[in-house]
Amino acid sequence: MRRPSSSRRIIAVVVPPVDELDLVGPLQVFNSINRLAGRSIYTIEVVTAADRLTVEGEGGVLSFVARHHFNKVEGACDSVLLVCGLVTRTVRNAALSAWLKKMATGVRRLGAVCVGSFLLAEAGLLDGRRATTHWKFGRELAARYPGVRVEHEPLWVKDGNIYTSAGISAGIDLALAWVEEDCGAGLAHEAARELVLFLRRPGGQPQVSVSLASQASEMTSIRELQIWIAEHLETRLTVEDLADRMAMSVRNFERVFTREVGTTPSQYVLQMRVEAARRQLERTDGGLKHVASAVGFGSVDVMRRAFVRLLGITPRRYRELV
């Protein structure tokens, strides 16, 4: 494990009211690292862009107390993390923009959680850069700031020393990515386990998984079939097999499934297999042949063609990037 030589100072800048999880999630990651390491790897200061030190949560349930105003930050710091709320994404604060520009040139990392990317864009820090935000607001970000190269899919994006994330739980993924940069994958995985995360997601992971996006069907039988498919990806899953399982004709099954899920059965199975293969490539060192077999692809070449078709990248290259 890489061991930083001294404590890393992280300044969390909040523009209230803030989304509570956007703030608490990343900070909990850094606090967990300190506890797991048995020493202070990170020191964290919450500062505010408002006049009052009390920081209201957007949900109206929680509030926080900032240490001081952002313009009172003195001395060197390692990283800055910007957090705001849905309403405050439209704030125009010239003093904050100027401070962020100044800090961007002096810190190792400058990050924004969720719609905090709007405030980085307002400061001109995302001009000509790749960036992301919550999937609901990607088009708005692109329309308001046409100089930003908005990427709508990733959980988080790094361009230079500037990081943007999709927000909510993706803020946790971004914080874990920072931990891995600083301390190595081992400690990052240990923190993820302590936080009871289902899996650690790399930045390139889509914001909405195939599994989650397609489970909105009102038909219990279709949802149950989707669960069954996920548990049997390594088996033969033709449209005929699935229709038989549902006790439907092939024609009626294809019509009902497509209506309920938004994609054809064969396309859904392909997407699920690619998603499962991605998890294997991210979490294991198994060879491509083993991964292809485990998720039901007939061969490495079939898996490669599916990756290129759906993701525009080969499985081998995907593993190199994550």
Side-chain angles (χ1 to χ4, degrees), residues 138-208:
R139 291 182 179 177
E140 180 185 343
L141 180 64
R144 288 183 57 188
Y145 302 99
V148 182
R149 295 160 53 195
V150 178
E151 297 194 359
H152 300 272
E153 289 290 326
L155 287 173
W156 55 268
V157 169
K158 174 186 178 182
D159 192 322
N161 72 331
I162 295 183
Y163 299 69
T164 50
S165 83
I168 316 298
S169 63
I172 296 174
D173 295 295
L174 177 60
L176 287 167
W178 283 12
V179 168
E180 183 167 350
E181 288 180 357
D182 299 339
C183 309
L187 193 53
H189 279 287
E190 192 175 349
R193 287 195 299 270
E194 183 175 86
L195 294 171
V196 199
L197 298 182
F198 177 66
L199 53 84
R200 275 196 57 222
R201 304 175 297 180
Q205 184 85 6
Q207 293 186 27
V208 181

Side-chain angles (χ1 to χ4, degrees), residues 31-92:
N31 285 327
S32 294
I33 293 298
N34 288 343
R35 182 171 59 256
L36 290 168
R39 62 191 184 90
S40 181
I41 291 179
Y42 296 104
T43 58
I44 305 160
E45 298 173 34
V46 178
V47 303
T48 182
D51 294 331
R52 298 171 63 240
L53 294 185
T54 299
V55 177
E56 298 298 333
E58 207 162 40
V61 177
L62 299 177
S63 61
F64 313 89
V65 178
R67 183 168 299 187
H68 46 69
H69 194 269
F70 70 83
N71 62 14
K72 293 185 178 180
V73 173
E74 297 180 350
C77 65
D78 180 77
S79 304
V80 170
L81 188 65
L82 177 63
V83 183
C84 64
L86 297 184
V87 174
T88 49
R89 75 184 187 280
T90 60
V91 163
R92 286 178 167 80

Side-chain angles (χ1 to χ4, degrees), residues 214-243:
S214 61
Q215 286 178 357
S217 172
E218 295 294 331
M219 290 183 62
T220 301
S221 59
I222 291 292
R223 292 200 305 271
E224 290 175 348
L225 177 66
Q226 290 172 290
I227 294 170
W228 185 86
I229 289 171
E231 294 173 344
H232 296 83
L233 288 174
E234 75 286 357
T235 65
R236 172 184 153 109
L237 295 173
T238 66
V239 176
E240 291 78 11
D241 294 330
L242 297 177

Side-chain angles (χ1 to χ4, degrees), residues 80 98-110 125 129 161-162:
V80 170
W99 185 85
L100 290 170
K101 284 183 178 179
K102 176 184 175 183
M103 296 302 288
T105 62
V107 297
R108 188 163 59 96
R109 296 178 298 219
L110 173 59
L125 290 169
R129 292 182 184 266
N161 72 331
I162 295 183

Side-chain angles (χ1 to χ4, degrees), residues 12 17 23 79-80 85 92 95 111 113 124 132 141 175 192 215 264 282-283 286-287 294:
L23 176 61
S79 304
V80 170
R92 286 178 167 80
V113 180
T132 193
L141 180 64
Q215 286 178 357
T264 65
E282 292 158 11
R283 298 163 59 189

